[in-house]
Amino acid sequence: MASSETDIVILGGGHNGLVCAFYLARAGLKVTVLERRGVVGGAAVTEEFHPGFRNSTASYTVSLLNPTVIAEMELARHGLRVVERRMSNFLPLPDGRYLAAGEGRTAAEVAKFSTRDAERLPEYERRLEAVADVLRALVLETPPNLPDGGWLDALPEMLKSASVAKRLGALGLTGRRDVLDLFAKSAGDWLDGWFESDPIKALFGFDGVVGAYTSPYTPGTAYVLLHHVFGEVNGRKGVWGHALGGMGAITQAMAAACVEQGVDIRLDAPVAEVLTEKGRAVGAVTEAGDVVRGRAVISNLHPRLLFDRLVDPAVVPADFTERMSRYASGSGTFRMNVALGELPRFTARLEPGDHHTAGIIIAPSLAYMDRAHAEARLHGWSREPIVEMLIPSTLDDSLAPPGQHVASLFCQHVSPELADEDREAVADLMIETVDRHAPGFKASVIGRLALGPRDLERRFGLVGGDIFHGRLTLDQLFSARPVLGHADYRMPVPGLYLCGSGAHPGGGVTGAPGRNAARSVLKDLGRLRRSGL
Ligand SMILES: Cc1cc2nc3c(=O)[nH]c(=O)nc-3n(C[C@H](O)[C@H](O)[C@H](O)COP(=O)(O)OP(=O)(O)OC[C@H]3O[C@@H](n4cnc5c(N)ncnc54)[C@H](O)[C@@H]3O)c2cc1C
């Protein structure tokens, strides 16, 4: 058992913990990161899952990572390279047709199903992009910390902030109506209002149910859709790409940037307790009994883990504890990695091509997704699940032996409470679902890793397997994330902060909560002025 002193103790070395550590160390503070696992990165990590085959274990595709964070941490200099998919998405359909989406080709593809939809597409993209721009302006801002009122009071406050007000003003009335729609409606209602043919609605609607364990017709899912389009890759808005080496390449580059600033990253150091004295957070105690004391304690953990397990309830206001016990967290996602002896041959498109680099979505309509959700609610998982498959080895030869491949299967919907004994049956179903569109796929699988929601919780600390550290519903966003009154990254225990995805702007590999939290800490320590934040 050892005892040490530092300025800042960060619990968890997920990407947001690393981002926060970087900015604080850059401002001249001594920072110690305590990470439970033997590797940094949390849900943005690359691991070997079958001898000779490596892949991102949880998050698998990049777009939301904030360009300011990329530039300020100099992630490219630290080895990060993100490449674009050659086709954005590929939807094989049950009737043997397909929709291929990507720059320069989507409209012509949509016209195969509806010329009216193809004509409406540019206007849809322009209007969605205009709202996404407003969201982009909010990402690196601290939400107004309203102790009174509700989210409905909070959003106008946030929208009044200088940079956002300017953008919102430029939207005009049509754009403002779109903002309201996208914040309140279901993805299904929003998309039904735009398009008539199923494949294009399925393509966009998929983003509305990812990680949400909802029907695309559940109000609020239009926001989840929007959340997935505010990103960019290499300056190209709304595009998704692949980090060479997998998502772990992002967090390895972040760790290198931290080490260069003098951050002390300790692996295999699970924190058992936040140390408090006279009601103030003053450090952390690891499971091994090591004590690290600091002037501020910043948690990268899911907020429920922090308050359920690590903080003495006696120092937390009872109302906050009660709210936190009701903080909604649970995704219907089932994540698989498979090692493949050969590329799949889709009935809809037999020959190898750009579609193998795409996000391959098996979910032909919003009705299919609605049924998948309803069935999962009833039976624990859907017999006709939603599967997105990516084959990153088509863009990155560092992941699999020559001639062989790795695929990420990101599947929805299973119950967040899916029993462990059902895992392998569900994994078989996911593979069979792909096999229906690409006969021979099942036979090509030479190794696999299957993680249900409980596995994601055990491995990464994601409560209910929630990929976002808590649902992205409007009562848990902006000034209400994680709880109204604490959206400024300051938790109700003095000296304790939150820097993970349970804070604004929520989940995804963005780096934004980490950067924003660093700003609050620097302000409280009187170091903000020269920090560049
Ligand atoms: C299956 C899946 C797919 C996803 N796909 C994508 C995607 O393609 N693109 C995208 O942008 N986002 C995706 N996401 C979301 C994204 O990965 C997460 O929102 C993001 O990585 C969370 O980062 P974080 O730093 O906030 O928290 P985390 O990554 O959860 O980091 C928290 C860290 O705290 C550590 N920890 C936990 N308990 C303790 C303790 N007691 N002591 C010390 N350390 C502790 C954990 O080990 C972890 O390293 C996906 C997530 C999942 C699960």
Side-chain angles (χ1 to χ4, degrees):
M1 288 194 290
S3 184
S4 55
E5 294 272 346
T6 184
D7 291 322
I8 308 286
V9 188
I10 297 190
L11 321 182
H15 85 282
N16 277 313
L18 296 172
V19 170
C20 192
F22 168 83
Y23 285 105
L24 294 173
R26 194 183 72 169
L29 292 163
K30 198 174 158 198
V31 182
T32 302
V33 175
L34 301 172
E35 166 54 42
R36 183 175 64 92
R37 299 191 72 207
V39 57
V40 292
V45 71
T46 305
E47 293 168 293
E48 188 175 72
F49 66 96
H50 184 73
F53 293 82
R54 298 184 316 130
N55 198 11
S56 308
T57 311
S59 62
Y60 57 99
T61 180
V62 58
S63 175
L64 307 176
L65 186 58
N66 192 273
T68 304
V69 171
I70 296 176
E72 290 173 344
M73 292 185 80
E74 298 185 79
L75 296 183
R77 180 169 66 79
H78 290 291
L80 178 64
R81 230 187 110 212
V82 179
V83 294
E84 288 167 38
R85 304 173 186 172
R86 291 196 288 273
M87 178 190 288
S88 305
N89 290 99
F90 174 70
L91 273 80
L93 302 172
D95 64 5
R97 294 190 294 170
Y98 65 83
L99 174 73
E103 206 175 320
R105 66 172 115 207
T106 314
E109 285 280 319
V110 171
K112 294 191 309 199
F113 304 93
S114 160
T115 48
R116 176 181 174 272
D117 286 357
E119 281 160 19
R120 288 180 69 94
L121 192 62
E123 175 69 359
Y124 172 84
E125 287 178 337
R126 193 187 61 72
R127 299 246 298 263
L128 189 66
E129 192 47 44
V131 180
D133 266 342
V134 176
L135 208 68
R136 281 187 190 106
L138 293 176
V139 159
L140 291 184
E141 296 219 358
T142 301
N145 200 25
L146 293 187
D148 303 315
W151 172 85
L152 284 176
D153 300 316
L155 184 68
E157 278 303 311
M158 184 124 197
L159 295 179
K160 265 192 253 158
S161 80
S163 61
V164 180
K166 222 165 98 194
R167 281 167 203 266
L168 204 64
L171 278 182
L173 196 53
T174 305
R176 283 180 241 176
R177 287 177 178 144
D178 289 341
V179 171
L180 192 60
D181 280 355
L182 284 160
F183 279 85
K185 276 187 183 222
S186 74
D189 285 336
W190 161 256
L191 292 165
D192 285 342
W194 277 97
F195 303 113
E196 61 185 13
S197 60
D198 283 334
I200 188 67
K201 287 195 267 184
L203 170 68
F204 294 139
F206 172 76
D207 281 342
V209 298
V210 162
Y213 197 44
T214 51
S215 158
Y217 285 99
T218 305
T221 44
Y223 175 79
V224 183
L225 182 158
L226 181 64
H227 191 85
H228 285 96
V229 298
F230 73 68
E232 60 182 74
V233 166
N234 301 331
R236 283 153 44 81
K237 290 179 182 176
V239 169
W240 288 81
H242 169 73
L244 291 183
M247 297 300 274
I250 297 173
T251 44
Q252 288 300 321
M254 287 177 169
C258 284
V259 169
E260 195 174 85
Q261 294 293 338
V263 175
D264 173 18
I265 301 174
R266 301 189 194 168
L267 301 177
D268 297 309
V271 173
E273 185 191 336
V274 170
L275 202 61
T276 52
E277 281 172 10
K278 295 186 186 141
R280 187 181 174 82
V282 294
V285 187
T286 67
E287 280 179 13
D290 295 333
V291 176
V292 186
R293 299 177 70 94
R295 294 156 68 194
V297 178
I298 308 172
S299 173
N300 180 197
L301 276 56
H302 187 298
R304 283 261 297 274
L305 274 190
L306 174 68
F307 287 100
D308 286 356
R309 307 221 189 130
L310 302 191
V311 182
D312 177 1
V315 300
V316 183
D319 172 57
F320 183 92
T321 304
E322 205 247 322
R323 293 266 155 198
M324 193 41 71
S325 71
R326 285 196 255 139
Y327 180 76
S329 186
S331 292
T333 61
F334 189 91
R335 178 75 173 83
M336 292 181 70
N337 275 333
V338 292
L340 299 175
E342 60 182 19
L343 283 173
R345 282 163 59 85
F346 288 89
T347 313
R349 199 160 174 173
L350 285 173
E351 295 315 315
D354 289 354
H355 64 296
H356 279 131
T357 72
I360 299 163
I361 297 175
I362 298 176
S365 66
L366 295 174
Y368 178 102
M369 297 183 205
D370 183 41
R371 274 199 307 277
H373 173 247
E375 222 194 336
R377 288 261 179 210
L378 273 177
H379 304 296
W381 67 90
S382 163
R383 294 339 184 238
E384 288 197 314
I386 303 164
V387 178
E388 184 187 30
M389 178 164 79
L390 255 100
I391 313 173
S393 49
T394 56
L395 295 167
D396 179 353
D397 60 14
S398 75
L399 302 175
Q404 298 183 309
H405 289 277
V406 292
S408 305
L409 268 59
F410 190 43
C411 317
Q412 339 275 321
H413 285 300
V414 303
S415 160
E417 280 94 42
L418 184 80
D420 286 348
E421 55 265 32
D422 292 326
R423 185 194 304 109
E424 296 311 314
V426 173
D428 289 343
L429 169 73
M430 299 307 175
I431 286 177
E432 275 151 21
T433 302
V434 179
D435 195 81
R436 274 207 294 279
H437 293 270
F441 177 75
K442 189 174 168 180
S444 73
V445 173
I446 52 184
R448 76 184 193 189
L449 169 75
L451 301 172
R454 284 174 195 240
D455 301 303
L456 292 172
E457 176 159 349
R458 281 188 285 257
R459 193 183 271 234
F460 297 111
L462 302 168
V463 177
D466 197 306
I467 74 167
F468 302 122
H469 281 207
R471 297 226 179 112
L472 297 183
T473 44
L474 295 181
D475 58 320
Q476 298 190 166
L477 284 171
F478 303 106
S479 296
R481 193 164 185 88
V483 169
L484 202 66
H486 295 282
D488 59 359
Y489 308 91
R490 298 177 179 95
M491 294 296 101
V493 178
L496 181 64
Y497 301 80
L498 187 68
C499 73
S501 299
H504 172 75
V509 181
T510 67
R515 188 178 187 275
N516 293 350
R519 196 170 48 232
S520 289
V521 176
L522 289 172
K523 195 166 179 202
D524 292 353
L525 296 182
R527 293 203 179 221
L528 186 59
R529 264 188 58 216
R530 282 187 302 278
S531 70
L533 286 181

